[in-house]
Amino acid sequence: MQFNHYGGQAARLAAELVNLPAPPAPAALEPLLAAHEILRRDLTPAQADELWAWSRRLGRCFGDQDLGTRVAAVNDLLADASSSPRITMHDGHAPHLHYSAPGADAAAHIRAVTAAGLAFVVCNAAPHRLGRCARCDRAYVDTSRNGRRTYCTVRCANNDAVTRHRTTRRGAAA
């Protein structure tokens, strides 16, 4: 499944924020934001705390749930992150959308982008692609061709398969 920059990259950033184990320091967020092509990464400690709270809200959008619940959760995020999307040509190439207002602080930009990314996946890919790992419960965006992924990584899938195999063998030996 191919996603555009804001849809796929931003939705994956949302999943990464959800998977943070503890409130991060601004310096700890910088590599994560850079990996997801966020250009404005200059966060204050207060903004990092704000993004931690935001990440807990993003988490409600992942995993098995009915469509109405997922849509309501994404709409709540969109409402709280609302800004005026704008078409820009700042890179000198083709026009593209920016989901945060010019001059918005880095945290506001990240909130707007992640909310828009989740909305993109729900509307243009498939809502069930915002999943939770069947083994470890980490959030992920399913970008597989058939959209049937159930694990966050191949490692989790393999570890779960080994566990099931060993359980089956123990049962057969008893």
Side-chain angles (χ1 to χ4, degrees):
M1 178 100 217
Q2 295 295 317
F3 293 114
N4 70 16
H5 169 77
Y6 279 108
Q9 195 71 276
R12 283 188 219 107
L13 172 59
E16 293 283 347
L17 290 172
V18 168
N19 293 331
L20 290 172
L29 281 172
E30 200 281 332
L32 172 67
L33 298 175
H36 291 280
E37 301 177 20
I38 299 295
L39 300 179
R40 290 186 285 151
R41 302 184 292 268
D42 52 330
L43 297 170
T44 66
Q47 289 170 327
D49 290 343
E50 184 181 321
L51 287 178
W52 170 253
W54 181 252
S55 73
R56 303 306 87 190
R57 293 182 60 201
L58 291 169
R60 297 178 197 147
C61 300
F62 290 86
D64 289 336
Q65 56 191 279
D66 67 80
L67 182 58
T69 301
R70 190 179 322 264
V71 166
V74 173
N75 277 336
D76 286 345
L77 293 171
L78 287 168
D80 289 347
S82 68
S83 64
S84 300
R86 301 178 193 304
I87 298 172
T88 183
M89 291 182 23
H90 68 82
D91 62 358
H93 295 88
H96 60 277
L97 280 173
H98 274 210
Y99 289 95
S100 62
D105 69 42
H109 174 71
I110 293 164
R111 286 192 316 273
V113 166
T114 53
L118 294 179
F120 177 87
V121 172
V122 169
C123 294
N124 296 316
H128 71 274
R129 288 182 179 265
L130 300 175
R132 291 255 181 201
C133 183
R135 182 170 183 268
C136 70
D137 202 42
R138 288 177 55 88
Y140 65 87
V141 178
D142 181 356
T143 57
S144 68
R145 178 176 285 177
N146 67 7
R148 294 188 180 165
R149 187 169 146 192
T150 56
Y151 298 96
C152 63
T153 62
V154 172
R155 183 179 196 153
C156 263
N158 289 342
N159 287 344
D160 199 44
V162 167
T163 300
R164 285 192 319 271
H165 174 73
R166 287 179 180 162
T167 301
T168 302
R169 286 188 67 193
R170 271 190 229 119

PDB file of all heavy atoms in Angstrom, residues 37-57:
ATOM      1  N   GLU A  37      10.510  12.845   8.867  1.00  0.00           N
ATOM      2  CA  GLU A  37      10.603  14.026   8.013  1.00  0.00           C
ATOM      3  C   GLU A  37       9.882  15.252   8.561  1.00  0.00           C
ATOM      4  O   GLU A  37       9.389  16.088   7.805  1.00  0.00           O
ATOM      5  CB  GLU A  37      10.120  13.695   6.600  1.00  0.00           C
ATOM      6  CG  GLU A  37      10.926  12.581   5.957  1.00  0.00           C
ATOM      7  CD  GLU A  37      10.423  12.179   4.593  1.00  0.00           C
ATOM      8  OE1 GLU A  37       9.699  12.965   3.950  1.00  0.00           O
ATOM      9  OE2 GLU A  37      10.776  11.070   4.168  1.00  0.00           O
ATOM     10  N   ILE A  38       9.842  15.377   9.890  1.00  0.00           N
ATOM     11  CA  ILE A  38       9.331  16.596  10.511  1.00  0.00           C
ATOM     12  C   ILE A  38      10.481  17.593  10.528  1.00  0.00           C
ATOM     13  O   ILE A  38      11.527  17.325  11.130  1.00  0.00           O
ATOM     14  CB  ILE A  38       8.799  16.333  11.936  1.00  0.00           C
ATOM     15  CG1 ILE A  38       7.644  15.328  11.904  1.00  0.00           C
ATOM     16  CG2 ILE A  38       8.398  17.626  12.616  1.00  0.00           C
ATOM     17  CD1 ILE A  38       6.398  15.787  11.194  1.00  0.00           C
ATOM     18  N   LEU A  39      10.302  18.710   9.868  1.00  0.00           N
ATOM     19  CA  LEU A  39      11.394  19.676   9.747  1.00  0.00           C
ATOM     20  C   LEU A  39      11.554  20.534  10.993  1.00  0.00           C
ATOM     21  O   LEU A  39      12.666  20.837  11.398  1.00  0.00           O
ATOM     22  CB  LEU A  39      11.174  20.565   8.519  1.00  0.00           C
ATOM     23  CG  LEU A  39      11.122  19.822   7.187  1.00  0.00           C
ATOM     24  CD1 LEU A  39      10.868  20.796   6.045  1.00  0.00           C
ATOM     25  CD2 LEU A  39      12.393  19.026   6.947  1.00  0.00           C
ATOM     26  N   ARG A  40      10.443  20.941  11.590  1.00  0.00           N
ATOM     27  CA  ARG A  40      10.525  21.765  12.805  1.00  0.00           C
ATOM     28  C   ARG A  40      10.482  20.843  14.015  1.00  0.00           C
ATOM     29  O   ARG A  40       9.441  20.326  14.384  1.00  0.00           O
ATOM     30  CB  ARG A  40       9.373  22.774  12.829  1.00  0.00           C
ATOM     31  CG  ARG A  40       9.567  23.846  11.759  1.00  0.00           C
ATOM     32  CD  ARG A  40       8.531  24.916  11.853  1.00  0.00           C
ATOM     33  NE  ARG A  40       7.271  24.380  11.332  1.00  0.00           N
ATOM     34  CZ  ARG A  40       6.086  24.771  11.735  1.00  0.00           C
ATOM     35  NH1 ARG A  40       5.957  25.684  12.657  1.00  0.00           N
ATOM     36  NH2 ARG A  40       4.998  24.257  11.207  1.00  0.00           N
ATOM     37  N   ARG A  41      11.652  20.634  14.606  1.00  0.00           N
ATOM     38  CA  ARG A  41      11.779  19.678  15.708  1.00  0.00           C
ATOM     39  C   ARG A  41      12.241  20.338  16.997  1.00  0.00           C
ATOM     40  O   ARG A  41      12.606  19.661  17.938  1.00  0.00           O
ATOM     41  CB  ARG A  41      12.769  18.582  15.311  1.00  0.00           C
ATOM     42  CG  ARG A  41      12.380  17.844  14.063  1.00  0.00           C
ATOM     43  CD  ARG A  41      13.316  16.710  13.751  1.00  0.00           C
ATOM     44  NE  ARG A  41      14.649  17.109  13.365  1.00  0.00           N
ATOM     45  CZ  ARG A  41      15.052  17.309  12.121  1.00  0.00           C
ATOM     46  NH1 ARG A  41      14.214  17.148  11.122  1.00  0.00           N
ATOM     47  NH2 ARG A  41      16.289  17.655  11.856  1.00  0.00           N
ATOM     48  N   ASP A  42      12.232  21.658  17.046  1.00  0.00           N
ATOM     49  CA  ASP A  42      12.730  22.399  18.202  1.00  0.00           C
ATOM     50  C   ASP A  42      11.642  22.487  19.274  1.00  0.00           C
ATOM     51  O   ASP A  42      10.896  23.435  19.333  1.00  0.00           O
ATOM     52  CB  ASP A  42      13.194  23.791  17.770  1.00  0.00           C
ATOM     53  CG  ASP A  42      12.132  24.539  16.976  1.00  0.00           C
ATOM     54  OD1 ASP A  42      11.328  23.882  16.287  1.00  0.00           O
ATOM     55  OD2 ASP A  42      12.092  25.776  17.064  1.00  0.00           O
ATOM     56  N   LEU A  43      11.572  21.463  20.105  1.00  0.00           N
ATOM     57  CA  LEU A  43      10.552  21.383  21.149  1.00  0.00           C
ATOM     58  C   LEU A  43      11.084  21.847  22.494  1.00  0.00           C
ATOM     59  O   LEU A  43      12.232  21.565  22.842  1.00  0.00           O
ATOM     60  CB  LEU A  43      10.056  19.943  21.281  1.00  0.00           C
ATOM     61  CG  LEU A  43       9.363  19.341  20.068  1.00  0.00           C
ATOM     62  CD1 LEU A  43       9.166  17.857  20.271  1.00  0.00           C
ATOM     63  CD2 LEU A  43       8.035  20.026  19.819  1.00  0.00           C
ATOM     64  N   THR A  44      10.227  22.494  23.245  1.00  0.00           N
ATOM     65  CA  THR A  44      10.537  22.825  24.632  1.00  0.00           C
ATOM     66  C   THR A  44      10.120  21.631  25.503  1.00  0.00           C
ATOM     67  O   THR A  44       9.361  20.765  25.040  1.00  0.00           O
ATOM     68  CB  THR A  44       9.758  24.074  25.078  1.00  0.00           C
ATOM     69  OG1 THR A  44       8.351  23.748  25.080  1.00  0.00           O
ATOM     70  CG2 THR A  44      10.024  25.274  24.169  1.00  0.00           C
ATOM     71  N   PRO A  45      10.562  21.580  26.750  1.00  0.00           N
ATOM     72  CA  PRO A  45      10.089  20.508  27.633  1.00  0.00           C
ATOM     73  C   PRO A  45       8.562  20.502  27.774  1.00  0.00           C
ATOM     74  O   PRO A  45       7.948  19.436  27.799  1.00  0.00           O
ATOM     75  CB  PRO A  45      10.779  20.810  28.967  1.00  0.00           C
ATOM     76  CG  PRO A  45      12.055  21.495  28.560  1.00  0.00           C
ATOM     77  CD  PRO A  45      11.661  22.341  27.372  1.00  0.00           C
ATOM     78  N   ALA A  46       7.951  21.668  27.819  1.00  0.00           N
ATOM     79  CA  ALA A  46       6.483  21.739  27.925  1.00  0.00           C
ATOM     80  C   ALA A  46       5.823  21.164  26.669  1.00  0.00           C
ATOM     81  O   ALA A  46       4.808  20.467  26.757  1.00  0.00           O
ATOM     82  CB  ALA A  46       6.030  23.176  28.162  1.00  0.00           C
ATOM     83  N   GLN A  47       6.394  21.437  25.507  1.00  0.00           N
ATOM     84  CA  GLN A  47       5.837  20.897  24.270  1.00  0.00           C
ATOM     85  C   GLN A  47       6.025  19.382  24.191  1.00  0.00           C
ATOM     86  O   GLN A  47       5.151  18.672  23.700  1.00  0.00           O
ATOM     87  CB  GLN A  47       6.477  21.571  23.055  1.00  0.00           C
ATOM     88  CG  GLN A  47       6.042  23.005  22.884  1.00  0.00           C
ATOM     89  CD  GLN A  47       6.856  23.721  21.826  1.00  0.00           C
ATOM     90  OE1 GLN A  47       8.046  23.445  21.643  1.00  0.00           O
ATOM     91  NE2 GLN A  47       6.217  24.642  21.124  1.00  0.00           N
ATOM     92  N   ALA A  48       7.144  18.884  24.687  1.00  0.00           N
ATOM     93  CA  ALA A  48       7.355  17.434  24.721  1.00  0.00           C
ATOM     94  C   ALA A  48       6.313  16.776  25.630  1.00  0.00           C
ATOM     95  O   ALA A  48       5.764  15.724  25.284  1.00  0.00           O
ATOM     96  CB  ALA A  48       8.765  17.105  25.198  1.00  0.00           C
ATOM     97  N   ASP A  49       6.014  17.404  26.763  1.00  0.00           N
ATOM     98  CA  ASP A  49       4.963  16.894  27.653  1.00  0.00           C
ATOM     99  C   ASP A  49       3.604  16.927  26.962  1.00  0.00           C
ATOM    100  O   ASP A  49       2.794  16.003  27.096  1.00  0.00           O
ATOM    101  CB  ASP A  49       4.905  17.706  28.946  1.00  0.00           C
ATOM    102  CG  ASP A  49       6.109  17.478  29.838  1.00  0.00           C
ATOM    103  OD1 ASP A  49       6.834  16.467  29.636  1.00  0.00           O
ATOM    104  OD2 ASP A  49       6.336  18.315  30.744  1.00  0.00           O
ATOM    105  N   GLU A  50       3.366  17.995  26.222  1.00  0.00           N
ATOM    106  CA  GLU A  50       2.116  18.135  25.473  1.00  0.00           C
ATOM    107  C   GLU A  50       1.985  17.011  24.437  1.00  0.00           C
ATOM    108  O   GLU A  50       0.912  16.433  24.264  1.00  0.00           O
ATOM    109  CB  GLU A  50       2.136  19.504  24.791  1.00  0.00           C
ATOM    110  CG  GLU A  50       0.911  19.901  24.056  1.00  0.00           C
ATOM    111  CD  GLU A  50       1.104  21.279  23.415  1.00  0.00           C
ATOM    112  OE1 GLU A  50       1.725  22.176  24.025  1.00  0.00           O
ATOM    113  OE2 GLU A  50       0.634  21.426  22.288  1.00  0.00           O
ATOM    114  N   LEU A  51       3.087  16.687  23.770  1.00  0.00           N
ATOM    115  CA  LEU A  51       3.053  15.608  22.787  1.00  0.00           C
ATOM    116  C   LEU A  51       2.879  14.241  23.443  1.00  0.00           C
ATOM    117  O   LEU A  51       2.271  13.345  22.860  1.00  0.00           O
ATOM    118  CB  LEU A  51       4.307  15.626  21.912  1.00  0.00           C
ATOM    119  CG  LEU A  51       4.348  16.757  20.888  1.00  0.00           C
ATOM    120  CD1 LEU A  51       5.647  16.715  20.098  1.00  0.00           C
ATOM    121  CD2 LEU A  51       3.146  16.715  19.961  1.00  0.00           C
ATOM    122  N   TRP A  52       3.382  14.081  24.657  1.00  0.00           N
ATOM    123  CA  TRP A  52       3.150  12.835  25.386  1.00  0.00           C
ATOM    124  C   TRP A  52       1.647  12.670  25.638  1.00  0.00           C
ATOM    125  O   TRP A  52       1.087  11.604  25.375  1.00  0.00           O
ATOM    126  CB  TRP A  52       3.922  12.824  26.704  1.00  0.00           C
ATOM    127  CG  TRP A  52       3.531  11.685  27.597  1.00  0.00           C
ATOM    128  CD1 TRP A  52       2.789  11.756  28.729  1.00  0.00           C
ATOM    129  CD2 TRP A  52       3.849  10.306  27.424  1.00  0.00           C
ATOM    130  NE1 TRP A  52       2.621  10.504  29.269  1.00  0.00           N
ATOM    131  CE2 TRP A  52       3.263   9.603  28.484  1.00  0.00           C
ATOM    132  CE3 TRP A  52       4.577   9.604  26.481  1.00  0.00           C
ATOM    133  CZ2 TRP A  52       3.379   8.225  28.630  1.00  0.00           C
ATOM    134  CZ3 TRP A  52       4.689   8.228  26.610  1.00  0.00           C
ATOM    135  CH2 TRP A  52       4.091   7.553  27.679  1.00  0.00           C
ATOM    136  N   ALA A  53       0.996  13.715  26.114  1.00  0.00           N
ATOM    137  CA  ALA A  53      -0.455  13.661  26.344  1.00  0.00           C
ATOM    138  C   ALA A  53      -1.184  13.408  25.019  1.00  0.00           C
ATOM    139  O   ALA A  53      -2.139  12.625  24.965  1.00  0.00           O
ATOM    140  CB  ALA A  53      -0.940  14.950  26.995  1.00  0.00           C
ATOM    141  N   TRP A  54      -0.731  14.051  23.962  1.00  0.00           N
ATOM    142  CA  TRP A  54      -1.327  13.858  22.633  1.00  0.00           C
ATOM    143  C   TRP A  54      -1.166  12.401  22.193  1.00  0.00           C
ATOM    144  O   TRP A  54      -2.096  11.805  21.651  1.00  0.00           O
ATOM    145  CB  TRP A  54      -0.653  14.804  21.640  1.00  0.00           C
ATOM    146  CG  TRP A  54      -1.170  14.727  20.245  1.00  0.00           C
ATOM    147  CD1 TRP A  54      -0.533  14.185  19.168  1.00  0.00           C
ATOM    148  CD2 TRP A  54      -2.414  15.228  19.753  1.00  0.00           C
ATOM    149  NE1 TRP A  54      -1.304  14.324  18.049  1.00  0.00           N
ATOM    150  CE2 TRP A  54      -2.465  14.958  18.372  1.00  0.00           C
ATOM    151  CE3 TRP A  54      -3.485  15.889  20.344  1.00  0.00           C
ATOM    152  CZ2 TRP A  54      -3.548  15.307  17.575  1.00  0.00           C
ATOM    153  CZ3 TRP A  54      -4.568  16.245  19.546  1.00  0.00           C
ATOM    154  CH2 TRP A  54      -4.596  15.961  18.192  1.00  0.00           C
ATOM    155  N   SER A  55      -0.008  11.824  22.453  1.00  0.00           N
ATOM    156  CA  SER A  55       0.248  10.443  22.038  1.00  0.00           C
ATOM    157  C   SER A  55      -0.709   9.466  22.721  1.00  0.00           C
ATOM    158  O   SER A  55      -1.089   8.455  22.126  1.00  0.00           O
ATOM    159  CB  SER A  55       1.694  10.038  22.304  1.00  0.00           C
ATOM    160  OG  SER A  55       1.942   9.855  23.685  1.00  0.00           O
ATOM    161  N   ARG A  56      -1.098   9.763  23.949  1.00  0.00           N
ATOM    162  CA  ARG A  56      -2.054   8.899  24.645  1.00  0.00           C
ATOM    163  C   ARG A  56      -3.417   8.970  23.943  1.00  0.00           C
ATOM    164  O   ARG A  56      -4.132   7.978  23.871  1.00  0.00           O
ATOM    165  CB  ARG A  56      -2.205   9.289  26.121  1.00  0.00           C
ATOM    166  CG  ARG A  56      -0.903   9.284  26.958  1.00  0.00           C
ATOM    167  CD  ARG A  56      -0.114   7.993  26.914  1.00  0.00           C
ATOM    168  NE  ARG A  56       0.796   7.992  25.766  1.00  0.00           N
ATOM    169  CZ  ARG A  56       1.502   6.956  25.323  1.00  0.00           C
ATOM    170  NH1 ARG A  56       1.414   5.797  25.904  1.00  0.00           N
ATOM    171  NH2 ARG A  56       2.297   7.040  24.294  1.00  0.00           N
ATOM    172  N   ARG A  57      -3.758  10.126  23.421  1.00  0.00           N
ATOM    173  CA  ARG A  57      -5.013  10.281  22.682  1.00  0.00           C
ATOM    174  C   ARG A  57      -4.928   9.606  21.317  1.00  0.00           C
ATOM    175  O   ARG A  57      -5.903   9.013  20.856  1.00  0.00           O
ATOM    176  CB  ARG A  57      -5.354  11.755  22.526  1.00  0.00           C
ATOM    177  CG  ARG A  57      -5.690  12.413  23.870  1.00  0.00           C
ATOM    178  CD  ARG A  57      -6.067  13.849  23.723  1.00  0.00           C
ATOM    179  NE  ARG A  57      -7.245  13.973  22.870  1.00  0.00           N
ATOM    180  CZ  ARG A  57      -7.585  15.088  22.242  1.00  0.00           C
ATOM    181  NH1 ARG A  57      -6.853  16.176  22.382  1.00  0.00           N
ATOM    182  NH2 ARG A  57      -8.668  15.136  21.479  1.00  0.00           N
TER     183      ARG A  57
END
